[in-house]
Amino acid sequence: MTQSIAREPNIDRSKSRELTSELYLKSEQLLRFRIAFSLVSLCLCVGIYSFAGVEFEFYRATGIICSVSIYSFIGLAFVVKALRSSRAKLQSFNAILLVLDALALTGLVHFTHGIESDLYVLYLLPIMLSSYTFGRRGIYLVAAFVALCYIGLLVYESSPLLPYLLQSTNPRGLASAFAFKLWRRIFARAFFFTSVAFLWARFCDYLSRVSRRSNERLLEQLEANEKLIAESEERAKRERLINSINKGVRSTLELDSILRSAVNQLSQAVSADLVAILCPPTTGESTNIYVQASEPSTAALDKESVSGVANQPVGSISARLQSFILSRRSSYLKDDAGRKIKTFVFTDAPADQFFADVKEEIESSGFRSIVLQPMMYGEISRGVIILADRRKDKVFEESELVLTKVVAGQVAVAIEHANLVGELSSKNRDLVGKNLNLDAKNLELKTMQSQLIHHEKMASLGRLVAGIAHELNNPINFVHGNLPYLKQYADELKKLVDKASEIEEEHRRDFDELKRKIKYDFLISDLDNIIADLNEGSERIRHIIRNLRSFSRLDEAELKEASICEGIESTLKILSQYYGNDKIPVHFSPGFASMPQVLCYPGQLNQVWMNLLSNAAQAMQGQAEARLNIQAELEGESVLVQISDNGPGIKQEVQSKIFDPFFTTKPVGQGTGLGLSICHSIIERHGGQIWFSSELGKGTTFFVRIPLTAKRQSPNLPGELSQISEPD
Ligand code: ADP
């Protein structure tokens, strides 16, 4: 209601402004017409006077025409502009001009043969012109005035005869006949002219009404078109805005940017003191309300954008007002009558019952007109858009409300997407993390499994070796233990045979015959050789068994003092297929044999030597001048062992990987890639270090530093293999 009362004077004002400007344009055009007309008339006058020599009061007529031009010029140059804003003044101005025109015409007719002049037809012009700027009444008034002027002229022209005419009492005679004729003439002309003037006025009125009506129709059409254009412009603007909001919210999935862009765009499109978006906290993040607001600064036009994620005032929205609006957002779905409501519009917010709980806040903010537009995603409210204005008579237009509703829908979808994407990416991050963990665990398990298999294999091999050594040990001990007796018995038998050769001649022949037959001398000499060979053989077997036992060290799973040199030597013997005088020669450093014993797990250290020595042997395999150098030296409280080969060396690009489990450059079936990684873990377990230096084409040296007293460790670790050798 307030809205319609407030709007009507506005409409009137704008309409009268339109009419005034229309009248102004018409007045201006008429003045131009007057100037043009009088100039043409002037030319005609001069032409007729100079060529036709017609007798009329040329100078006076010309003066009148000139004066018409002059006052028209003055009117055009100054007066009309000054009267531009007042319709009443413009009308009076036009009326004065028409009176002047009528008087000028009367003068012109008077000076061009007076009553006999045909120029009286020009009187029709002011009538016609009046239809252009006046209404119906004006036209007839001008017609009456023009008729009066003409009648006045008639009377004035006949004025010299009037005393005579009025005094003529004699109804007969020539004078009376002339007077009668004159009267008739005056009356007839007056009547004729008045009728023509009013007829012409009627015609002009009709024409002007027709043209006004068609004008009105045109105007109506124009208005309808303008309305259509305005509507489509409005729609286009709205679509542009929606598009740009869409683009804005699609270009990012960050909640802050989405809200900032939506608020900025909306604040450009609606006329409001405050545009804000309130969002409830996203699940599980915080209890803060998210606010994005755009409010005119003191400079009025310059909109500023503020945001906050805490329960603090943002712009003119106090923290309490924020929570109140958000707490009521679920009730936005339905009104008191249970109908679904999409938009809440409050024209006088401080007086509205809805804001009764936050009356103070509303009053202190100064907002009178408030729109609350919930941002619904299905049945879930994602927040509220607030439009607020402090002006008393501010009513938000329908188009603004529609636009706000559309934006609310877009923003709700965008928030939902942002939330979903956020959840997805956090789940993705979790999954990637878990995957990485699984990968690491998988690798660890694989390594452990391989080490266990390797361990088991090596343990079986160790047990086999130890078993064989044990089984061989007893029989060889019998053999070796009985050999001295065998020698002793053979010597005694030899002595017996020698004694027997002292018997008589006749018995000795048979005895000698038997000795010859059995090749006694050869047998005796060979028996010694056999016994010596047996001795040597059994000694060798015992040595081998000692080596096997020393290598397997089944009896040494505990930390104990052991000689590194012995360990290396026994390993070299196991690897006798590679190393030896006719194979790869091995050179020991001078102090090698005199190294002190170290407290260690001897079986595990033997495994290290086995891996390093077999790698070196394999690297140098088939090489013409292969050579192995083994060096040991005392370094403070540790022993440093260096095993150098002159093999092909290790390529730069694989040097960083050779201690990795499963890294091998050997063909499938030959290398497991576990040897060096096991060495590394064994040496680490002893509190020592292992490293290498290698030069391509020249060879590789492995350095092993072992402290003289290794730390006591649990013997059951996967890498702790009591008798492991690298399978080849
Ligand atoms: P594997 O012997 O089963 O391949 P290792 O862990 O013992 O596994 O060795 C890893 C790799 O290190 C070998 O494949 C080899 O390329 C390189 N390597 C080790 N020792 C030497 C050496 N003395 N000379 C050249 N390359 C070596």
Side-chain angles (χ1 to χ4, degrees):
M1 193 64 188
T2 325
Q3 190 183 4
S4 63
I5 291 168
R7 277 185 175 192
E8 269 174 11
N10 280 350
I11 293 169
D12 275 5
R13 230 174 287 140
S14 73
K15 199 161 185 183
S16 87
R17 212 176 299 133
E18 246 173 56
L19 288 173
T20 311
S21 66
E22 193 188 324
L23 181 62
Y24 170 79
L25 283 176
K26 282 179 175 173
S27 312
E28 201 183 336
Q29 279 169 9
L30 278 183
L31 282 170
R32 286 181 201 284
F33 172 77
R34 273 192 189 88
I35 293 167
F37 186 75
S38 49
L39 289 179
V40 170
S41 310
L42 206 63
C43 292
L44 277 174
C45 242
V46 174
I48 294 167
Y49 178 70
S50 47
F51 294 112
V54 179
E55 286 174 13
F56 63 94
E57 293 188 45
F58 171 73
Y59 292 107
R60 287 185 181 184
T62 312
I64 287 170
I65 293 170
C66 285
S67 61
V68 171
S69 312
I70 287 164
Y71 71 69
S72 298
F73 264 122
I74 294 169
L76 188 64
F78 307 109
V79 189
V80 186
K81 278 189 186 120
L83 307 176
R84 181 174 203 148
S85 56
S86 164
R87 184 172 155 75
K89 284 179 186 167
L90 272 170
Q91 264 177 339
S92 320
F93 171 71
N94 277 323
I96 293 168
L97 281 184
L98 276 169
V99 169
L100 286 177
D101 286 350
L103 294 177
L105 273 174
T106 310
L108 201 65
V109 174
H110 174 64
F111 294 122
T112 51
H113 292 167
I115 205 155
E116 300 299 329
S117 170
D118 293 328
L119 286 186
Y120 71 92
V121 287
L122 288 178
Y123 274 122
L124 299 183
L125 259 179
I127 300 171
M128 198 178 75
L129 295 185
S130 68
S131 72
Y132 199 58
T133 49
F134 294 120
R136 195 172 193 186
R137 227 170 48 193
I139 297 173
Y140 291 113
L141 275 175
V142 171
F145 179 69
V146 164
L148 269 178
C149 284
Y150 185 70
I151 293 167
L153 183 67
L154 277 180
V155 173
Y156 175 75
E157 294 264 318
S158 314
S159 60
L161 296 171
L162 280 181
Y164 174 73
L165 288 176
L166 293 174
Q167 282 167 21
S168 141
T169 48
N170 190 358
R172 280 182 216 117
L174 195 63
S176 112
F178 176 74
F180 178 71
K181 203 177 169 190
L182 198 63
W183 276 119
R184 263 184 56 189
R185 195 174 154 209
I186 289 171
F187 277 110
R189 277 194 169 238
F191 177 76
F192 173 75
F193 185 78
T194 309
S195 321
V196 169
F198 275 87
L199 258 175
W200 180 240
R202 176 94 186 92
F203 180 67
C204 289
D205 176 31
Y206 167 75
L207 277 186
S208 83
R209 259 185 295 151
V210 167
S211 79
R212 202 177 304 132
R213 233 175 262 144
S214 63
N215 259 3
E216 271 167 8
R217 259 204 302 278
L218 271 176
L219 269 177
E220 267 167 26
Q221 252 175 14
L222 209 70
E223 262 173 30
N225 282 352
E226 271 173 5
K227 213 171 153 193
L228 265 178
I229 289 168
E231 268 174 19
S232 41
E233 267 175 4
E234 184 67 33
R235 207 174 305 136
K237 198 170 136 195
R238 201 161 60 214
E239 269 160 21
R240 265 202 306 277
L241 182 73
I242 292 166
N243 274 348
S244 76
I245 290 176
N246 246 343
K247 218 191 279 168
V249 297
R250 248 189 281 123
S251 66
T252 175
L253 286 167
E254 247 178 67
L255 194 58
D256 183 57
S257 312
I258 291 171
L259 299 185
R260 193 179 290 274
S261 139
V263 163
N264 284 344
Q265 305 270 17
L266 193 60
S267 63
Q268 312 276 323
V270 297
S271 144
D273 286 345
L274 169 90
V275 176
I277 293 180
L278 289 187
C279 282
T282 47
T283 40
E285 267 188 13
S286 72
T287 51
N288 294 331
I289 296 168
Y290 191 94
V291 187
Q292 178 78 44
S294 176
E295 198 166 3
S297 64
T298 39
L301 278 173
D302 190 17
K303 297 223 169 191
E304 66 179 29
S305 187
V306 283
S307 64
V309 287
N311 285 343
Q312 284 170 0
V314 172
S316 309
I317 323 171
S318 69
R320 194 153 170 252
L321 196 55
Q322 293 170 26
S323 348
F324 171 79
I325 292 174
L326 274 183
S327 68
R328 303 292 298 270
R329 74 182 193 284
S330 52
S331 66
Y332 296 152
L333 283 174
K334 288 185 179 133
D335 66 359
D336 297 339
R339 282 180 309 225
K340 278 199 174 181
I341 290 190
K342 308 281 187 199
T343 313
F344 276 71
V345 183
F346 306 96
T347 41
D348 188 7
D352 203 290
Q353 228 5 66
F354 183 87
F355 292 108
D357 291 350
V358 282
K359 200 170 169 43
E360 266 177 37
E361 274 78 7
I362 291 283
E363 273 170 359
S364 67
S365 69
F367 293 131
R368 295 191 68 86
S369 188
I370 293 182
V371 172
L372 299 179
Q373 174 62 60
M375 302 188 295
M376 303 303 297
Y377 184 79
E379 293 289 292
I380 310 161
S381 163
R382 287 280 165 220
V384 184
I385 293 184
I386 306 172
L387 305 183
D389 205 281
R390 295 188 176 88
R391 280 167 287 177
K392 204 175 169 190
D393 54 349
K394 166 72 184 174
V395 176
F396 284 101
E397 284 172 21
E398 189 58 34
S399 61
E400 291 177 320
L401 297 181
V402 171
L403 182 68
T404 311
K405 193 184 278 182
V406 175
V407 171
Q410 301 280 347
V411 176
V413 172
I415 291 175
E416 188 66 21
H417 284 182
N419 286 347
L420 280 177
V421 169
E423 266 174 43
L424 266 179
S425 58
S426 95
K427 280 195 177 140
N428 204 23
R429 267 198 303 278
D430 277 4
L431 276 177
V432 169
K434 279 181 185 158
N435 240 5
L436 283 178
N437 247 356
L438 274 178
D439 278 356
K441 288 238 161 74
N442 204 16
L443 186 69
E444 211 175 286
L445 273 175
K446 262 169 95 180
T447 314
M448 244 167 171
Q449 190 194 19
S450 311
Q451 286 185 343
L452 277 172
I453 293 170
H454 195 72
H455 175 213
E456 198 43 50
K457 229 156 86 183
M458 293 305 108
S460 320
L461 191 68
R463 272 196 295 276
L464 189 70
V465 168
I468 292 169
H470 180 73
E471 289 302 320
L472 283 177
N473 199 32
N474 282 343
I476 206 64
N477 273 348
F478 300 149
V479 172
H480 192 73
N482 286 327
L483 274 178
Y485 298 111
L486 181 67
K487 179 142 174 57
Q488 189 191 336
Y489 296 161
D491 285 347
E492 278 171 10
L493 281 174
K494 211 162 68 181
K495 270 186 211 161
L496 185 72
V497 171
D498 286 346
K499 207 74 183 161
S501 57
E502 290 171 11
I503 58 169
E504 296 109 44
E505 197 69 29
E506 61 205 77
H507 296 294
R508 228 178 61 200
R509 204 177 298 135
D510 292 341
F511 184 70
D512 286 340
E513 183 61 21
L514 187 64
K515 269 175 88 179
R516 203 176 37 78
K517 247 188 195 167
I518 60 167
K519 295 182 188 157
Y520 172 75
D521 291 335
F522 169 74
L523 196 143
I524 287 297
S525 68
D526 204 34
L527 184 65
D528 282 345
N529 285 342
I530 287 170
I531 291 172
D533 281 356
L534 278 174
N535 224 350
E536 201 192 318
S538 71
E539 196 53 54
R540 260 204 231 168
I541 291 171
R542 288 184 69 212
H543 193 69
I544 289 169
I545 289 169
R546 248 203 325 277
N547 275 335
L548 284 175
R549 285 176 68 79
S550 157
F551 172 72
S552 65
R553 309 298 286 255
L554 272 179
D555 48 341
E556 293 170 9
E558 286 297 316
L559 262 183
K560 63 186 292 181
E561 297 260 322
S563 159
I564 287 180
C565 310
E566 272 178 26
I568 293 177
E569 273 169 357
S570 69
T571 310
L572 278 171
K573 283 195 178 112
I574 300 282
L575 294 173
S576 58
Q577 82 260 33
Y578 296 125
Y579 299 106
N581 284 336
D582 51 342
K583 290 161 190 159
I584 302 171
V586 182
H587 295 267
F588 294 98
S589 63
F592 180 73
S594 59
M595 280 298 110
Q597 294 205 322
V598 295
L599 190 66
C600 63
Y601 296 97
Q604 289 184 23
L605 277 193
N606 282 353
Q607 156 115 48
V608 173
W609 311 134
M610 174 61 84
N611 287 333
L612 296 181
L613 292 171
S614 56
N615 273 347
Q618 284 171 356
M620 294 185 288
Q621 216 170 20
Q623 201 169 303
E625 296 204 347
R627 213 167 78 108
L628 187 78
N629 277 329
I630 300 179
Q631 198 179 323
E633 57 188 287
L634 202 58
E635 261 193 356
E637 287 300 294
S638 350
V639 176
L640 177 67
V641 179
Q642 297 179 35
I643 298 173
S644 318
D645 63 58
N646 61 346
I650 304 171
K651 282 185 196 157
Q652 188 67 36
E653 58 266 31
V654 301
Q655 284 193 3
S656 60
K657 300 181 196 161
I658 63 165
F659 285 107
D660 292 351
F662 306 110
F663 176 79
T664 181
T665 56
K666 294 172 191 168
V668 183
Q670 278 191 35
T672 60
L674 282 169
L676 287 180
S677 84
I678 289 173
C679 289
H680 193 267
S681 59
I682 290 174
I683 298 298
E684 261 198 348
R685 224 170 291 135
H686 280 80
Q689 293 104 36
I690 179 168
W691 71 98
F692 71 95
S693 76
S694 182
E695 214 177 320
L696 222 55
K698 290 203 171 159
T700 307
T701 301
F702 275 89
F703 301 83
V704 179
R705 184 183 287 129
I706 304 164
L708 288 175
T709 45
K711 288 174 227 157
R712 195 170 286 277
Q713 306 262 336
S714 155
N716 296 325
L717 295 170
E720 206 161 75
L721 316 171
S722 55
Q723 59 286 315
I724 298 173
S725 68
E726 180 77 347
D728 295 310

